[in-house]
Amino acid sequence: MPLRPATTYYVGGTYGWDTIIPMDTWAQGKIFYTGDILVFKYDYLTSNLMVVNRTGYETCIPNEDAKEYTSGDDRISLPYGLSYYVGTYDAADCSAGLRMAIRARPNQ
């Protein structure tokens, strides 16, 4: 059975990676698969993106091995399973909704 082609998602839609809408709300109802692409667009002077573990997601404090993105136009291919994303440039961003958890299904 051939793999389905990857889908590209612009996180936050026209608002981008921003506190205007809670990012978990944006992700609700979408089905993600391994290999899909998340595009994070934001003002790199006032925001960032961190890929964290579950504790980092729940506490809004990046874990030691967290990966930071700062370009303002970041593209991440989804791995299988759960992934957690938070914004930490401003300490209040994550608590204000700049975070989301994504579960990617196997690409079959």
Side-chain angles (χ1 to χ4, degrees):
M1 175 184 235
L3 297 178
R4 65 177 267 296
T7 299
T8 299
Y9 293 93
Y10 288 84
V11 177
T14 57
Y15 297 110
W17 180 243
D18 196 289
T19 57
I20 291 173
I21 60 169
M23 291 296 116
D24 276 332
T25 300
W26 172 83
Q28 285 178 351
K30 293 176 176 63
I31 299 173
F32 299 97
Y33 293 92
T34 302
D36 283 351
I37 308 294
L38 298 181
V39 179
F40 294 85
K41 292 195 168 280
Y42 55 90
D43 181 348
Y44 72 91
L45 296 174
T46 61
S47 195
N48 72 341
L49 167 67
M50 303 278 300
V51 179
V52 298
N53 63 19
R54 183 176 179 155
T55 301
Y57 170 79
E58 291 173 350
T59 64
C60 291
I61 300 170
N63 50 287
E64 188 174 306
D65 297 333
K67 174 144 174 85
E68 183 176 22
Y69 292 85
T70 59
S71 76
D73 187 13
D74 304 310
R75 297 169 183 270
I76 298 175
S77 178
L78 283 174
Y80 172 71
L82 277 167
S83 298
Y84 303 96
Y85 307 93
V86 299
T88 61
Y89 190 88
D90 180 323
D93 287 348
C94 179
S95 298
L98 200 55
R99 66 179 175 171
M100 68 178 183
I102 299 290
R103 180 181 300 278
R105 296 179 178 185
N107 186 351
Q108 310 184 40

